[in-house]
Amino acid sequence: MGLVVQKYGGSSVADAEGIKRVAKRIVDAKKNGHQVVVVVSAMGDTTDELIDLAEQVSPMPAGREFDMLLTAGERISMALLAMAIKNLGHEAQSFTGSQAGVITDSVHNKARIIDVTPGRIRTALDEGNIAIVAGFQGVSADSKDITTLGRGGSDTTAVALAAALDAEVCEIYTDVDGVFTADPRVVKKARKIDWISSEDMLELAASGSKVLLHRCVEYARRYNIPIHVRSSFSGLPGTWVSNENPQGDAKVEHAIISGVAHDVSEAKITVVGVPDKPGEAAAIFRAIADAEINIDMIVQNVSAASTGLTDISFTLPKTEGHKAIDALEKAKGAIGFDSLRYDDQIGKISLVGAGMKTNPGVTASFFQALSDAGVNIELISTSEIRISVVTRQDDVNEAVRAVHTAFGLDSDSDEAVVYGGTGR
Ligand code: ADP
Ligand code: ASP
Ligand code: MG
């Protein structure tokens, strides 16, 4: 029996009962002969509550202090979980990200892991302990300050530790039975997927399926770590995410469509009245990049012949909205545009599947489904295995259900179960 890394999300440890339930599961894995490393998130919506609190004291809190605050959430759950395990008669020790050797760069609020040196975790395991690690946090190699890995970052902590400790599997325990063909909170008829390729999962995660974080899937793909996403509330097998299909490609065909993802966490900025000449787009996106903001979709309108001016729209995380507007306003003189428009009432719907490469009708059917549902499209972007559109936020749920049905993804058996969480 080898080493397993198990990650429990906030909804799985939302209260004392949840922590005790999870402790039993962990002890069972240990009793089955595994060495067990557990990564735990903050209880329930603690992280959101801490963010709300910070905003009440300061509209733009300093990154360093913000990270100090947020990491407190995971500290609470790791210590409580270790106590609950000890109470069941087993040895457990909790570790902060820093103690566990999670080394990052120094970009506060969205640090990247650059190394994992889990010496203390190894020692704890060798001494017979279950090791509990606070997710979502690390320590900067340069400044030695505490950092966080971005929302949902505990998934990444788990895979990074699994890679560093050469674990046989990284189990991600959450409040649904696995990865579904759409968010079960929106589509009751969503179907559980038994296996999904890292490639398709990467696109789903990047398109907003928060059941797994994009960076975590990227990491798992690079280090070839199989992920098993499953519920901490049921004993059911979940979804395997891996580079190779465990049954061999011959037995299970690649689905044409893996699923429908949606995302309401983005906003749209339109730069109005940009002179239509070389270097303008470069100047706009240089200003955004210098502010360390990642953008998603971009569209440039045809310029009106009479004015020689054009509009450029792009989407970005809502949380970066203020920063982006500030950065563009500062560069307004140099870039030379008329005005900025900010719209945070947008939503994005994406259809993902490796089979798209070879099925030319997919795009047409996708747009038809949206049109039949009366949904207006504002932006479009595509990759080899994904089509995404931006619509009004109010239309998103309806659009997801329409597309899910149109592609024959609706399950004809039971409704998908959501065991916990608030969906926040
Ligand atoms: P945790 O607290 O365990 O990290 P998250 O809230 O981050 O849980 O992720 C689990 C949630 O992801 C589910 O409750 C579900 O609403 C949402 N979700 C979105 N897309 C999907 C999908 N395709 N399959 C399963 N869950 C999804
Ligand atoms: N607690 C953090 C968050 O809510 C990290 C995580 O749960 O993965 O984003
Ligand atoms: Mg999560």
Side-chain angles (χ1 to χ4, degrees):
M1 290 283 183
L3 188 155
V4 295
V5 173
Q6 301 188 329
K7 178 255 169 176
Y8 292 91
S11 50
S12 296
V13 291
D15 51 22
E17 279 317 305
I19 289 176
K20 289 199 270 185
R21 183 174 47 80
V22 162
K24 281 210 196 80
R25 264 205 111 106
I26 295 168
V27 165
D28 285 345
K30 169 89 177 165
K31 281 189 190 153
N32 285 335
H34 288 103
Q35 283 194 313
V36 190
V37 175
V38 175
V39 173
V40 70
S41 291
M43 294 170 72
D45 291 331
T46 301
T47 308
D48 290 293
E49 287 154 15
L50 291 173
I51 292 172
D52 290 348
L53 203 54
E55 280 167 359
Q56 287 172 45
V57 224
S58 160
M60 288 266 230
R64 181 185 184 280
E65 305 313 324
F66 199 59
D67 279 352
M68 260 328 197
L69 175 72
L70 296 196
T71 53
E74 269 70 13
R75 271 199 184 216
I76 295 171
S77 46
M78 74 178 193
L80 290 172
L81 191 52
M83 291 173 197
I85 291 172
K86 280 171 182 280
N87 194 49
L88 295 173
H90 289 259
E91 288 309 316
Q93 277 183 355
S94 64
F95 298 91
T96 63
S98 165
Q99 289 174 325
V102 180
I103 316 290
T104 71
D105 62 19
S106 34
V107 183
H108 284 294
N109 309 334
K110 51 178 179 192
R112 272 188 177 269
I113 297 176
I114 53 177
D115 196 12
V116 183
T117 52
R120 292 193 66 182
I121 303 298
R122 281 250 182 252
T123 308
L125 292 173
D126 291 345
E127 289 169 354
N129 289 288
I130 293 167
I132 316 285
V133 179
F136 165 65
Q137 53 180 274
V139 60
S140 156
D142 294 337
S143 67
K144 309 289 180 239
D145 280 331
I146 298 301
T147 53
T148 61
L149 309 177
R151 296 307 307 272
S154 299
D155 293 349
T156 315
T157 307
V159 170
L161 276 171
L165 293 163
D166 202 17
E168 51 185 49
V169 56
C170 180
E171 296 182 323
I172 304 278
Y173 284 94
T174 183
D175 54 10
V176 289
D177 280 315
V179 179
F180 285 72
T181 47
D183 186 341
R185 280 178 211 272
V186 174
V187 182
K188 291 284 161 236
K189 289 272 164 197
R191 213 185 292 177
K192 195 188 84 191
I193 302 171
D194 293 328
W195 171 78
I196 182 168
S197 68
S198 309
E199 190 190 17
D200 278 14
M201 191 63 231
L202 210 51
E203 290 281 344
L204 279 178
S207 310
S209 296
K210 70 170 181 162
V211 62
L212 279 184
L213 196 74
H214 175 255
R215 249 186 216 178
C216 135
V217 185
E218 213 172 46
Y219 214 104
R221 180 164 72 163
R222 184 163 1 119
Y223 292 94
N224 207 9
I225 305 290
I227 299 179
H228 188 187
V229 183
R230 54 196 306 194
S231 164
S232 71
F233 298 80
S234 80
L236 298 172
T239 302
W240 285 88
V241 185
S242 59
N243 294 342
E244 300 286 330
N245 189 320
Q247 312 206 324
D249 269 334
K251 283 206 182 134
V252 184
E253 244 186 281
H254 252 290
I256 294 179
I257 301 299
S258 283
V260 188
H262 71 279
D263 190 355
V264 291
S265 69
E266 293 190 344
K268 179 172 78 174
I269 290 180
T270 303
V271 189
V272 182
V274 182
D276 195 1
K277 61 178 183 10
E280 287 297 303
I284 290 171
F285 293 110
R286 171 53 52 207
I288 296 294
D290 287 347
E292 299 201 21
I293 296 168
N294 290 319
I295 54 160
D296 183 16
M297 295 159 91
I298 303 177
V299 67
Q300 173 170 348
N301 290 339
V302 189
S303 67
S306 54
T307 59
L309 296 177
T310 183
D311 295 346
I312 296 180
S313 297
F314 63 92
T315 63
L316 76 173
K318 275 180 194 162
T319 47
E320 307 276 32
H322 279 300
K323 218 162 66 167
I325 295 284
D326 277 356
L328 287 171
E329 286 293 357
K330 278 201 193 101
K332 186 173 178 184
I335 304 171
F337 55 85
D338 283 345
S339 58
L340 296 172
R341 272 210 299 266
Y342 184 70
D343 178 359
D344 62 2
Q345 292 303 304
I346 60 161
K348 183 173 76 171
I349 299 123
S350 306
L351 185 68
V352 171
M356 255 181 229
K357 287 181 207 167
T358 46
N359 283 268
V362 171
T363 310
S365 309
F366 180 60
F367 291 151
Q368 189 63 52
L370 292 171
S371 143
D372 291 347
V375 174
N376 191 43
I377 300 171
E378 299 181 16
L379 298 180
I380 302 171
S381 90
T382 60
S383 82
E384 244 194 333
I385 63 168
R386 176 186 51 77
I387 319 170
S388 303
V389 294
V390 164
T391 66
R392 286 293 90 204
Q393 190 167 310
D394 288 345
D395 287 337
V396 165
N397 289 359
E398 192 49 43
V400 171
R401 287 190 280 264
V403 170
H404 196 267
T405 304
F407 281 89
L409 298 172
D410 287 357
S411 143
D412 33 39
S413 52
D414 296 342
E415 287 196 347
V417 185
V418 178
Y419 297 92
T422 57
R424 188 168 173 183

